[in-house]
Amino acid sequence: AVDAEKMAQAGVKSIQIHTGGMCHLDAEMTRQGLKGLDTRDVELAILENVGNLVCPVEFDCGEDAKVALLSVTEGDDKPEKYPQLFRLAKALVLNKADLLPYVDFDMENAVQRARALNDDLALFELSCRNGQGLENWYAWLREMFRRKKANA
């Protein structure tokens, strides 16, 4: 609820999907959530799954693309610890890049580990705090949307 409230305060349509204590979301929960959110003028919906990086990735949420979000504060070994996420993801967002000088994170190592699992993974090094890399991320999202619309 905290994230949904922050999003709403920023003017972004947001809804909290309740899982009833389950450790993941699924396509039916996504459908119900979207039904509860007026989507007539929504072109892009981002669904943040709950729980850890192990079980949620295996569930179909009805998404067009899974995106792995890895903060540099979490460590560069996450691809090896949670390989299924990186195998299934279409993109890897490496966030909080502005903190790289202050944390023990080897960007090259993280990318190598992720690429070993998924050679087609689109990579985005960014910082939401200072805007670094966001335009590339937005361009990728726009291209995904364009392709989906063209195939509809």
Side-chain angles (χ1 to χ4, degrees), residues 15-83:
I15 190 167
Q16 178 76 33
I17 300 174
H18 299 283
T19 63
M22 293 176 61
C23 70
H24 65 276
L25 297 172
D26 60 28
E28 178 57 23
M29 289 180 210
T30 302
R31 187 190 67 74
Q32 289 175 8
L34 289 172
K35 190 176 176 183
L37 186 67
D38 180 11
T39 59
R40 286 176 289 195
D41 62 345
V42 173
E43 293 182 338
L44 172 70
I46 296 177
L47 179 68
E48 179 183 8
N49 212 336
V50 297
N52 55 47
L53 295 177
V54 179
C55 72
V57 73
E58 297 175 6
F59 291 89
D60 179 4
C61 293
E63 71 276 4
D64 291 315
K66 288 188 189 301
V67 175
L69 176 62
L70 173 58
S71 166
V72 301
T73 58
E74 295 177 272
D76 53 33
D77 58 352
K78 290 298 184 258
E80 284 183 350
K81 288 184 175 181
Y82 308 104

Side-chain angles (χ1 to χ4, degrees), residues 98-116:
D98 55 305
L99 296 178
L100 281 168
Y102 311 106
V103 295
D104 184 20
F105 186 91
D106 184 333
M107 184 65 74
E108 186 177 325
N109 188 35
V111 170
Q112 251 180 351
R113 288 175 176 195
R115 286 269 193 233

Side-chain angles (χ1 to χ4, degrees), residues 87-139:
R87 280 189 197 107
L88 296 175
K90 288 191 178 181
L92 168 57
V93 173
L94 293 154
N95 192 26
K96 300 185 182 180
D98 55 305
L99 296 178
L100 281 168
Y102 311 106
V103 295
D104 184 20
F105 186 91
D106 184 333
M107 184 65 74
E108 186 177 325
N109 188 35
V111 170
Q112 251 180 351
R113 288 175 176 195
R115 286 269 193 233
L117 296 164
N118 183 345
D119 214 19
D120 296 326
L121 199 59
L123 295 165
F124 301 95
E125 181 182 329
L126 55 90
S127 168
C128 290
R129 181 171 296 274
N130 67 20
Q132 171 192 339
L134 286 175
E135 191 48 50
N136 291 335
W137 168 237
Y138 297 155

